Amino acid sequence: MKFKNIKVIIIIVCIFISLSYILINNIFLWNKSLKSNLWFWYIKIDWRYYSKWDNIYYKGWCWPGMWCIYNELKNLDKKSFNILSKDYAKDNINAYYDWLLIKGSDWNSFEYLGDFYSKDKDNVFWRWNMINWANSDKFKYITKSYWKDDITVYYMQDAIKWADPISFKHIINTYWKDKNNVYFNYRLIEWSDPITFEYMYGLYWKDKNNYYYGSKIIKYSEIWKTPVWIRYR
């Protein structure tokens, strides 16, 4: 019984501290300069974008109940503000990912592509980062997190070294190949032969040259150290 009473007291104290913080930070000190984080001070525009007074915010993590983190979009022109998706917006000055400024972007030609990718007339971006040397005009979707242009294949914001965008295609799970090589996720499997590369079980593969575990070359004797029931999911 004593232990239960202690647990109840601890819970009550925690609730009291949380409510006290909310009241002090959001009501007794409520004014324009302190920027209250109670959800009912904010007016939803669309998706996760909200307005309060003359500013626009992106709604982030929320504490169970009322308290949320609202991040202000800086250097914003509210009159021209346009929401493109739940994570992207722009005005006639800048483009934004969540509340972060996408540096180097051209607002006039900026567009959201999907899968955390966007582009303008000159550049391609992943989240708020510019992808160096990506060709905006030729940038195309392959499958989730994999994109390509006329020269390179990309995984998220990184170029897959040596990948040929014309012949690059999916094998199974996170394995890919082109006319020259095989890839595990975005990593080149060295000395792999794309023509004879075939599945064994789990993460084990083979071709005419070697046996592989993931992207690592192994010996035949190492294959059977892993139980047969293990399968790659």
Side-chain angles (χ1 to χ4, degrees):
M1 291 295 294
K2 288 184 178 180
F3 180 72
K4 289 183 177 179
N5 290 336
I6 292 171
K7 285 178 68 176
V8 171
I9 291 170
I10 292 172
I11 292 170
I12 292 172
V13 170
C14 290
I15 292 172
F16 175 78
I17 292 172
S18 298
L19 290 175
S20 299
Y21 173 80
I22 291 171
L23 289 171
I24 293 170
N25 188 49
N26 294 286
I27 296 177
F28 296 119
L29 299 178
W30 178 74
N31 62 52
K32 192 169 181 178
S33 62
L34 289 173
K35 296 184 173 61
S36 162
N37 281 331
L38 281 176
W39 63 266
F40 50 75
W41 300 136
Y42 294 82
I43 300 173
K44 185 174 183 178
I45 304 172
D46 198 4
W47 295 99
R48 299 181 71 86
Y49 290 95
Y50 289 73
S51 66
K52 187 179 74 170
W53 295 300
D54 296 327
N55 301 314
I56 292 178
Y57 298 82
Y58 180 85
K59 183 180 179 182
W61 182 84
C62 286
W63 183 264
M66 295 183 293
W67 192 84
C68 294
I69 296 174
Y70 290 87
N71 300 286
E72 182 181 351
L73 280 72
K74 303 293 185 180
N75 304 316
L76 181 74
D77 179 55
K78 190 174 181 180
K79 291 182 180 179
S80 61
F81 184 70
N82 181 28
I83 298 171
L84 305 177
S85 75
K86 67 183 182 71
D87 295 307
Y88 286 85
K90 70 175 184 177
D91 57 19
N92 63 3
I93 304 173
N94 299 302
Y96 303 87
Y97 171 77
D98 292 353
W99 71 96
L100 299 170
L101 179 67
I102 302 177
K103 295 180 180 179
S105 60
D106 172 65
W107 70 269
N108 193 38
S109 60
F110 184 86
E111 60 179 303
Y112 173 59
L113 300 175
D115 199 24
F116 299 110
Y117 287 92
S118 59
K119 72 172 186 176
D120 60 22
K121 63 183 179 65
D122 299 314
N123 299 296
V124 178
F125 307 89
W126 188 75
R127 297 183 185 267
W128 64 91
N129 297 308
M130 183 185 296
I131 302 177
N132 294 327
W133 313 114
N135 188 333
S136 177
D137 292 333
K138 304 290 184 179
F139 201 74
K140 295 180 180 179
Y141 175 77
I142 303 175
T143 189
K144 187 176 182 180
S145 298
Y146 289 87
W147 291 66
K148 68 179 182 178
D149 58 19
D150 56 332
I151 300 174
T152 308
V153 178
Y154 301 89
Y155 176 73
M156 295 186 181
Q157 62 181 339
D158 297 315
I160 301 177
K161 293 181 179 179
W162 315 115
D164 173 59
I166 297 174
S167 60
F168 189 82
K169 64 180 181 179
H170 188 216
I171 303 174
I172 188 174
N173 295 328
T174 54
Y175 286 87
W176 300 77
K177 71 176 182 178
D178 59 23
K179 64 180 182 178
N180 301 313
N181 300 294
V182 180
Y183 308 86
F184 176 64
N185 284 329
Y186 55 92
R187 294 187 292 272
L188 172 69
I189 302 177
E190 294 184 357
W191 309 110
S192 58
D193 176 61
I195 297 174
T196 60
F197 194 79
E198 62 178 333
Y199 178 70
M200 296 180 70
Y201 78 92
L203 287 177
Y204 292 96
W205 293 70
K206 68 177 182 178
D207 61 18
K208 68 177 184 178
N209 300 318
N210 298 292
Y211 295 93
Y212 306 90
Y213 179 76
S215 59
K216 180 183 176 183
I217 297 175
I218 61 171
K219 296 178 180 178
Y220 180 79
S221 59
E222 296 180 75
I223 295 174
W224 310 112
K225 291 180 180 180
T226 302
V228 177
W229 52 264
I230 292 180
R231 292 291 182 268
Y232 178 71
R233 297 180 181 179

